[in-house]
Amino acid sequence: MHSLWLTGRLISRAIFNGISNISTAADPNLQKKPDPQLVSAVCGFSKERGIQRLIKGQFGDDAWFTARHKSADVLGVADGVGGWRAYGIDPGEFSLHLMRTCEHLVKLGRFTPTNPSELLARSYCELLHHKKAILGSSTACVVVLNRDNNTLYTANIGDSGFMVVRKGRVIRKSEEQQHYFNTPFQLSLPPPGYQADVLSDQPDSAITDNFPVEDGDVILVATDGVFDNLPQNLLVNELKKVQGERCASRLQMVANSIAWMARNLSFDETFFSPFAQSAFANGINTIGGKPDDITVLLATVAI
């Protein structure tokens, strides 16, 4: 594991799991194919332009995790709802604890490799019963590579999401869940007395999917700061650069590139961003990017 610090505001971490090709005719056990796994990298920004306090697993109000278990590799992102700041609540605390709890549960083996929505539910339940109340709301997306059957299982609630590219084509992409424009589905723990006034969706509201993956598939898991500012064709052009890539450093460069592009376009007042296009479709005449926290988790499948 290594880190990269750029301009005092960016911290990126790459995670690389080596692939062994060693085999020998003398021992049939060593002829087994290596378990499928993910080679992954992460990069992100807080939407604030000043230097921010750096916390592992967090970019602004966004949070993320990667975890490995003998049965699966798991990636996740969450986006804390910024509106809680007006109530004196740190929006990043809920998303960070949600992802850290998911990571902890995976490492303990307290999850089902075919059911990421159950992992989100268990994490959410632990937050509900935390000794110190952790208040706020968050979207979330979790993907699980099941080693037993080379299948990716996904759960997405809100407008964070994932995209899978194979040979330059999008083979799977998550769907957004919105109550209405710019108001995504979200897991919530409101303060006492506010329950009736706050949108609060249950983990079983998550859209789930599963599909077989192939060696070299590219997986992007990201918060809406990425999808709201980068058109799909730009994302695909970047993702296909790392088709089949098993070098963490090269993967990191593309993760950095995607995060930089999303950040730059988020502050471009003349860019007709995906967010502006969606606003226009909802009767709101606007243009420009959408300043937001940005988290990019990029991975390739190695089988």
Side-chain angles (χ1 to χ4, degrees):
M1 189 175 291
H2 61 275
S3 63
L4 175 67
W5 194 327
L6 301 176
T7 69
R9 290 193 294 270
L10 165 67
I11 184 167
S12 309
R13 294 178 179 84
I15 299 170
F16 174 63
N17 299 314
I19 310 299
S20 172
N21 291 315
I22 299 172
S23 65
T24 173
D27 187 347
N29 291 326
L30 294 181
Q31 292 183 356
K32 291 180 180 177
K33 238 180 171 181
D35 285 338
Q37 52 194 305
L38 297 178
V39 182
S40 65
V42 62
C43 185
F45 294 96
S46 164
K47 64 178 171 289
E48 304 300 330
R49 290 180 181 270
I51 295 176
Q52 302 294 305
R53 183 166 63 105
L54 296 175
I55 298 173
K56 182 184 177 183
Q58 187 172 48
F59 298 112
D61 299 333
D62 286 358
W64 59 272
F65 81 96
T66 64
R68 190 171 193 203
H69 185 264
K70 62 183 180 181
S71 62
D73 279 349
V74 188
L75 310 175
V77 297
D79 179 2
V81 175
W84 285 109
R85 198 166 271 112
Y87 296 85
I89 294 171
D90 177 1
E93 187 176 18
F94 182 88
S95 56
L96 181 61
H97 278 79
L98 185 71
M99 293 292 95
R100 281 184 174 172
T101 305
C102 282
E103 179 182 7
H104 183 64
L105 290 169
V106 171
K107 289 180 176 179
L108 290 177
R110 293 174 54 198
F111 76 110
T112 304
T114 57
N115 195 346
S117 65
E118 180 188 66
L119 176 61
L120 277 175
R122 286 183 177 179
S123 179
Y124 178 62
C125 186
E126 289 212 8
L127 263 62
L128 280 171
H129 297 97
H130 200 273
K131 285 186 294 185
K132 174 183 174 289
I134 299 168
L135 307 175
S137 306
S138 177
T139 66
C141 180
V142 173
V143 304
V144 178
L145 174 63
N146 187 320
R147 300 192 203 286
D148 287 339
N149 57 9
N150 293 354
T151 298
L152 197 73
Y153 294 84
T154 68
N156 186 63
I157 186 160
D159 57 4
S160 293
F162 71 90
M163 179 188 292
V164 181
V165 168
R166 178 181 299 161
K167 298 175 183 175
R169 292 179 55 250
V170 177
I171 64 164
R172 264 321 195 275
K173 187 177 185 297
S174 57
E175 299 176 42
E176 282 191 1
Q177 291 176 301
Q178 300 269 3
H179 289 284
Y180 42 87
F181 176 66
N182 206 28
T183 306
F185 279 40
Q186 54 202 261
L187 303 175
S188 298
L189 286 178
Y194 285 86
Q195 285 86 347
D197 305 320
V198 172
L199 288 171
S200 184
D201 302 287
Q202 296 303 306
D204 59 10
S205 298
I207 296 176
T208 60
D209 195 5
N210 69 86
F211 50 94
V213 291
E214 296 180 3
D215 183 53
D217 284 353
V218 185
I219 302 167
L220 171 69
V221 184
T223 53
D224 65 322
V226 175
F227 297 113
D228 280 344
N229 288 298
L230 288 180
Q232 182 168 302
N233 66 315
L234 281 182
L235 282 172
V236 173
N237 285 339
E238 291 300 304
L239 297 180
K240 66 185 182 182
K241 293 176 183 177
V242 289
Q243 170 79 38
E245 185 59 70
R246 298 189 182 189
C247 173
S249 297
R250 295 191 189 118
L251 202 63
Q252 186 68 59
M253 287 191 291
V254 173
N256 292 351
S257 175
I258 293 171
W260 274 112
M261 283 195 300
R263 180 173 174 80
N264 289 337
L265 289 173
S266 74
F267 290 107
D268 186 337
E269 297 178 354
T270 64
F271 176 53
F272 194 40
S273 64
F275 179 78
Q277 293 174 42
S278 181
F280 188 77
N282 282 273
I284 302 170
N285 191 11
T286 186
I287 197 166
K290 176 192 173 190
D292 203 352
D293 302 316
I294 290 162
T295 297
V296 174
L297 263 176
L298 184 61
T300 54
V301 178
I303 299 176

